[in-house]
Amino acid sequence: MQTKIAVRGGNPLLGNVRISGAKNAAACILPATILAAGKCTIENVPAISDVTYTLRILESLGAKVRLLDKNTLEIDTAPLHGHTVTHDLTRHMRASYYFLGALLGRFGQARVAMPGGCNLGVRPIDLHEKAFAMLGATVDTEENAIISCSAEKLVGTQIYFDVVSVGATANAMLAAVRADGRTQIENAAKEPHIVDLANFLNAMGANIRGAGTDTIRVDGVPQLHGCTWSVVPDQIEAGTYMVAAAATGGNVLVENVTPKHLESISAKLRESGALVEEYDDAVRVIGHSRPHKCSVKTMPHPGFPTDMQPQMAVLLSVATGTSYITESIFDNRFRWVDQLARMGAVVKVDGKMAVVEGVESLMGAPVQADDLRAGAAMLIAGLMALGQTEIEHIEYIERGYENVVEKFKALGADIFYLQDADEDAVLLAG
Ligand code: UD1
């Protein structure tokens, strides 16, 4: 029996929505607790399936995890006894690669199966491996696509990344934090969760400076200790609700956010005609008539996030005029196009560019979530469309959005879970 999400479009979203902790920050902070070799209390952890998978890995390694409340975890990594993570545990998510850096940093050894996650094209981890090797680790690939890293001693070094990589930057920090001497990471990623991870590691006793700039300096310390940390708000969840507010001609106060992290999204929404007001820890988005066309190019932070590209494209699918969307981070991030076409959108893909010809409106249709953010985009499309949209493979959406149906419902959306079996029951009754 498959659960779908059904949306009857047309209601403008109105009211307030509270944003959860960031999926991608939790994704590196939870493995980073391994480096404490003690107890950490992590607050504002989003209740999403990626967190469940991460905790499963921690527990398989011997960590003791206690849920203090829905969004607060106590993790004791003192009793950790293993450094191997198998494929059945890593296949669900990309961020399982952070166990390489964290285990290597603590034990000088890590064996982790190749990470899974959304299919966005080729997603190599050569830069992660390069960073570990430069710190003095021997990096090998074993049978069953297990990556193994080991080092007698990790030694600080200069690491230059040819490509800005969020995962490799975070992994280099994790491995370097207890290395001998200074590590300098050049061309580092600057995403909010990189800064959150560095601040968390510093709260555990690390000595990291420069996170949020191109150059991060990590002065190795002999050991770290437990601490209490609250995960930064989710920039992408916030952006998704902002776009949904604009797309439905709504008026939504998006709370518990850092407006600075949302600047590229706010700028594009304004360009498309929405009103965006910024407060200390909230933004209000007011949508008006049909959006104006605008062009979007995804870039590393502080550029427009690739994780917001499908959602923004859906908004622009009903714009007046033609919008050009350039994806410069991933090779295969236009899988939403076929689904959106089923709803009446007119989009042509030419290499790294999607040309979106605005239509008057979308029509509800059966569609599927092809990956996490494409799934979020289908939700927004359903909220905008005339009639009912039914979205399959919502497990992708649940990887990254806490209580998504409840949150949209509280904003006035006509949205609900639908079981395939219910449909059968209706058919039988008919
Ligand atoms: C992270 C985010 C993901 C987001 C992406 C870009 C997490 C868990 N995931 O993914 O949501 O979409 O950043 O903001 O935080 N690359 C290499 N070699 C490597 C690593 C990356 O060539 O070793 C390339 C990638 O193929 C891609 C680019 O670098 O073209 C950026 O990827 P990266 O920032 O590493 O993305 P992820 O860490 O996979």
Side-chain angles (χ1 to χ4, degrees):
M1 186 166 60
Q2 199 195 147
T3 305
K4 302 179 191 174
I5 295 177
V7 193
R8 294 193 196 109
N11 293 3
L13 299 184
L14 300 171
N16 302 6
V17 60
R18 191 174 167 77
I19 296 307
S20 303
K23 163 190 169 283
N24 287 348
C28 46
I29 285 173
L30 296 178
T33 60
I34 289 173
L35 291 157
K39 270 187 195 163
C40 292
T41 302
I42 314 293
E43 301 165 347
N44 205 32
V45 180
I48 52 176
S49 60
D50 265 22
V51 164
T52 310
Y53 297 133
T54 307
L55 296 179
R56 231 176 256 169
I57 299 178
L58 278 167
E59 285 179 326
S60 78
L61 293 165
K64 297 274 170 276
V65 179
R66 277 205 312 144
L67 198 61
L68 302 186
D69 66 45
K70 188 168 137 293
N71 299 108
T72 309
L73 295 168
E74 183 189 83
I75 302 173
D76 186 358
T77 57
L80 232 71
H81 47 64
H83 58 264
T84 299
V85 186
T86 51
H87 177 69
D88 54 318
L89 291 164
T90 62
R91 70 193 163 93
H92 298 290
M93 44 160 212
R94 190 81 201 146
S96 47
Y97 53 42
Y98 290 131
F99 283 91
L100 280 168
L103 289 165
L104 183 63
R106 166 126 171 229
F107 297 115
Q109 287 191 62
R111 292 177 72 245
V112 178
M114 273 302 269
C118 290
N119 176 1
L120 310 177
V122 185
R123 295 179 82 178
I125 60 162
D126 56 308
L127 298 174
H128 304 235
E129 295 177 351
K130 172 180 157 182
F132 300 146
M134 292 193 78
L135 285 159
T138 305
V139 182
D140 281 315
T141 308
E142 300 174 15
E143 225 177 300
N144 297 325
I146 290 210
I147 305 148
S148 83
C149 306
S150 66
E152 288 268 304
K153 196 167 73 165
L154 293 164
V155 181
T157 184
Q158 183 119 354
I159 300 168
Y160 172 79
F161 288 127
D162 310 310
V163 176
V164 177
S165 161
V166 172
T169 301
N171 245 338
M173 283 199 283
L174 293 173
V177 83
R178 288 178 59 186
D180 272 3
R182 173 172 289 189
T183 300
Q184 188 148 314
I185 305 168
E186 303 285 358
N187 202 21
K190 297 180 275 207
E191 268 66 3
H193 52 289
I194 293 291
V195 179
D196 207 37
L197 174 65
N199 289 340
F200 169 64
L201 291 169
N202 284 342
M204 291 203 294
N207 187 354
I208 303 176
R209 297 286 169 267
T213 73
D214 296 319
T215 304
I216 299 177
R217 278 184 309 282
V218 184
D219 283 305
V221 294
Q223 65 185 43
L224 302 180
H225 50 76
C227 71
T228 296
W229 193 253
S230 181
V231 174
V232 72
D234 197 312
Q235 171 206 21
I236 305 301
E237 188 197 15
T240 301
Y241 285 97
M242 290 166 73
V243 171
T248 59
N251 181 340
V252 175
L253 187 67
V254 183
E255 297 177 304
N256 187 37
V257 299
T258 306
K260 178 106 189 102
H261 296 165
L262 301 169
E263 272 173 356
S264 61
I265 301 164
S266 301
K268 283 293 152 190
L269 284 176
R270 288 189 181 114
E271 206 177 315
S272 75
L275 187 70
V276 183
E277 294 168 355
E278 291 175 8
Y279 305 97
D280 286 346
D281 61 355
V283 289
R284 180 179 294 285
V285 178
I286 304 175
H288 291 294
S289 47
R290 273 180 78 180
H292 312 310
K293 63 173 183 179
C294 69
S295 292
V296 177
K297 183 173 184 182
T298 63
M299 298 288 279
H301 191 78
F304 190 88
T306 172
D307 285 357
M308 282 301 302
Q309 179 255 101
Q311 301 91 311
M312 193 68 196
V314 166
L315 170 77
L316 296 173
S317 71
V318 296
T320 49
T322 302
S323 304
Y324 298 89
I325 298 183
T326 309
E327 172 55 53
S328 54
I329 310 288
F330 292 113
D331 303 335
N332 185 19
R333 204 161 198 175
F334 289 130
R335 295 171 80 217
W336 50 265
V337 168
D338 290 346
Q339 301 301 317
L340 202 63
R342 303 171 78 158
M343 300 178 69
V346 180
V347 184
K348 284 197 202 90
V349 176
D350 183 6
K352 286 180 169 288
M353 187 184 282
V355 181
V356 183
E357 255 177 63
V359 294
E360 288 240 345
S361 58
L362 299 178
M363 288 160 303
V367 292
Q368 68 180 37
D370 279 321
D371 61 57
L372 166 58
R373 306 304 171 184
M378 289 307 117
L379 280 175
I380 297 173
L383 294 167
M384 295 156 67
L386 306 170
Q388 183 158 318
T389 297
E390 290 176 14
I391 306 169
E392 285 184 9
H393 292 302
I394 62 168
E395 66 277 8
Y396 281 114
I397 301 173
E398 289 170 346
R399 283 190 45 210
Y401 290 88
E402 177 172 327
N403 291 339
V404 69
V405 166
E406 292 77 3
K407 285 187 183 185
F408 275 123
K409 202 179 273 194
L411 291 170
D414 190 356
I415 182 169
F416 49 96
Y417 287 107
L418 189 69
Q419 306 279 355
D420 264 350
D422 293 350
E423 284 183 353
D424 294 346
V426 171
L427 286 175
L428 286 173

